[in-house]
Amino acid sequence: RMRVNDSNNIESLNNFPAIIALVRDPISRAKSSFEYNYAQPALEWLVNRTARIESLHPMLKRIPYGKSESYYRENHLFSFDEFVRAELDVLRDCLKPGGLAELKSREKYG
């Protein structure tokens, strides 16, 4: 255990290690993850796509070139709310009794 004394120094009360945990608000973390892992890569991909990419993904031919990021975000990306709902549906299905998580765990750990 530790305490802060009157001069704002930390004093050790014994020799046990201290565990310090920093916890982040789960909603702000989810929004940050959504932006970093989904929205920004998708926008970059849409803005900088080439004919080669379109040949691999024919659906992209329906999305116009040369638009702003806000256009693509509003018209062609999931909103944060839609993304969360889709993730929850997948998690619910995966984690239900007899779901993929249980089956894969049984395969790996018996």
Side-chain angles (χ1 to χ4, degrees):
R1 295 184 319 170
M2 304 181 103
R3 71 174 179 191
V4 177
N5 63 22
D6 293 337
S7 60
N8 287 327
N9 292 324
I10 297 175
E11 295 178 352
S12 177
L13 300 178
N14 51 35
N15 291 328
F16 296 109
I19 298 174
I20 299 172
L22 300 174
V23 181
R24 191 168 164 195
D25 172 48
I27 300 300
S28 77
R29 187 192 178 295
K31 285 183 178 179
S32 175
S33 179
F34 167 79
E35 282 298 318
Y36 181 77
N37 294 308
Y38 168 70
Q40 289 305 318
L43 288 169
E44 186 175 320
W45 201 64
L46 284 168
V47 169
N48 298 318
R49 70 188 191 271
T50 63
R52 181 182 169 277
I53 290 173
E54 282 195 357
S55 70
L56 298 173
H57 303 282
M59 296 282 294
L60 283 175
K61 290 180 181 177
R62 299 180 187 177
I63 301 174
Y65 281 100
K67 299 292 184 178
S68 67
E69 284 190 8
S70 61
Y71 168 82
Y72 292 123
R73 185 179 291 270
E74 291 170 20
N75 296 289
H76 298 287
L77 295 185
F78 287 116
S79 70
F80 177 70
D81 291 345
E82 292 168 326
F83 194 81
V84 168
R85 289 179 203 284
E87 285 290 311
L88 288 174
D89 288 344
V90 169
L91 284 172
R92 221 177 266 114
D93 191 46
C94 182
L95 297 174
K96 70 183 178 188
L100 189 60
E102 183 179 329
L103 296 175
K104 292 296 181 180
S105 294
R106 285 184 195 273
E107 283 177 16
K108 186 168 185 172
Y109 301 109

